[in-house]
């Protein structure tokens, strides 16, 4: 069981998440769409340098074509590239290209859980990406995710059973419900953004270290319960 924490905006937040025990730490950069809590490439580099090899580094993007993604990938050299847009999804060609740019990088494709049709979509992408992230969809937010509410865990569980690749469960997960979600879905990993963050008066967010710690603690407890 891995824990993944999004969306980091500065070095302090990143190191807090490392200290809390996060396995994967993600941040968003601009590739044509405005994303919640996105940072500049320069700030992303500082954050990644601070993380070093203490956790896996995830780059989150929404795009309408692969071209704007290649430079950030080559410049930042993340461990994982996360595609979470409606307008462009991973292709076999994209996976091949980014793996040539950064040997060892993994491709994470978001699947918006809408209804039973999401199962077929997940199965299709599972054939050539490394990992799927099952997330909720808010039509007012660019891309898949950052919605702050849960999706249908019954559908998520069916996807986990059907696909061969790794699956991360996301969508409205926080310290209070992550254990229940893991016991229901049995994913490879869990992800949190909105419910391990505090919303500031100006509408921006910052990570809450205590919520991150509690989220990770409860996730690890659920994993131990599943595995005895």
């Amino acid at each position: 069981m891995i824990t993944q924490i999004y969306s980091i905006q500065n070095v302090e937040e990143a190191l807090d998440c490392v200290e809390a025990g996060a396995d994967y730490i993600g941040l968003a950069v601009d590739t044509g769409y405005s994303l919640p809590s996105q940072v500049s490439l320069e700030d992303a580099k500082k954050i990644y340098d601070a993380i070093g090899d203490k956790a896996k580094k995830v780059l989150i993007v929404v795009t309408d074509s692969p071209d704007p993604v290649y430079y950030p990938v080559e410049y930042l050299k993340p461990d994982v590239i996360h595609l979470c847009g409606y307008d462009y999804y991973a292709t076999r060609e994209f996976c091949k290209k980014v793996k040539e740019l950064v040997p060892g990088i993994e491709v994470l494709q978001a699947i918006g859980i809408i209804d039973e049709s999401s199962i077929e979509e997940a199965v299709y992408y599972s054939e050539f990406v490394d990992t799927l992230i099952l997330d909720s969809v808010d039509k007012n937010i660019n891309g898949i995710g950052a919605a702050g509410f849960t999706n249908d865990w019954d559908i998520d569980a069916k996807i986990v059973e059907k696909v061969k690749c790794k699956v991360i469960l996301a969508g409205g997960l926080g310290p209070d419900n992550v254990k229940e979600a893991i016991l229901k879905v049995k994913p490879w990993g869990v992800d949190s953004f909105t419910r391990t963050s505090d919303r500031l008066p100006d509408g921006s967010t910052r990570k809450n270290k205590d919520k991150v710690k509690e989220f990770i603690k409860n996730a690890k407890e659920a994993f131990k319960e599943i595995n005895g």
Side-chain angles (χ1 to χ4, degrees), residues 14-182:
L15 295 181
D16 280 348
C17 291
V18 168
E19 183 182 343
D23 301 297
Y24 285 58
I25 295 175
L27 54 79
V29 297
D30 184 3
T31 49
Y33 290 79
S34 176
L35 289 173
S37 305
Q38 72 182 23
V39 301
S40 68
L41 284 179
E42 292 74 19
D43 285 342
K45 183 70 164 59
K46 292 175 184 176
I47 294 168
Y48 280 175
D49 286 347
I51 294 171
D53 60 0
K54 301 180 186 73
K56 296 288 187 182
K57 301 175 285 291
V58 186
L59 180 63
I60 310 159
V61 297
V62 174
T63 185
D64 57 8
S65 76
D67 295 332
V69 180
Y70 294 138
Y71 177 73
V73 164
E74 190 169 17
Y75 175 68
L76 295 171
K77 293 180 172 53
D79 298 295
V80 180
I81 176 66
H82 174 178
L83 294 175
C84 59
Y86 298 121
D87 295 325
Y88 184 79
Y89 280 54
T91 64
R92 295 178 190 275
E93 292 75 19
F94 175 84
C95 294
K96 180 175 183 293
K97 175 70 172 180
V98 294
K99 289 173 186 287
E100 289 172 349
L101 292 174
V102 181
I105 193 173
E106 296 193 352
V107 177
L108 171 61
Q109 176 61 58
I111 303 295
I113 304 303
I114 307 298
D115 52 33
E116 291 280 335
S117 67
S118 300
I119 299 173
E120 184 178 353
E121 180 180 51
V123 169
Y124 171 76
Y125 286 101
S126 73
E127 295 297 323
F128 54 87
V129 302
D130 300 285
T131 312
L132 300 175
I133 182 166
L134 312 181
D135 216 334
S136 305
V137 178
D138 182 341
K139 293 180 180 179
N140 296 313
I141 297 175
N142 288 324
I144 299 164
F149 52 81
T150 58
N151 52 63
D152 190 328
W153 292 346
D154 288 325
I155 294 176
D156 295 327
K158 290 177 182 178
I159 291 172
V160 170
E161 290 177 358
K162 280 183 172 288
V163 303
K164 296 179 181 179
C165 72
K166 297 175 289 189
V167 178
I168 296 173
L169 177 63
L173 298 183
D176 62 321
N177 65 358
V178 66
K179 184 173 182 179
E180 180 187 0
I182 291 170

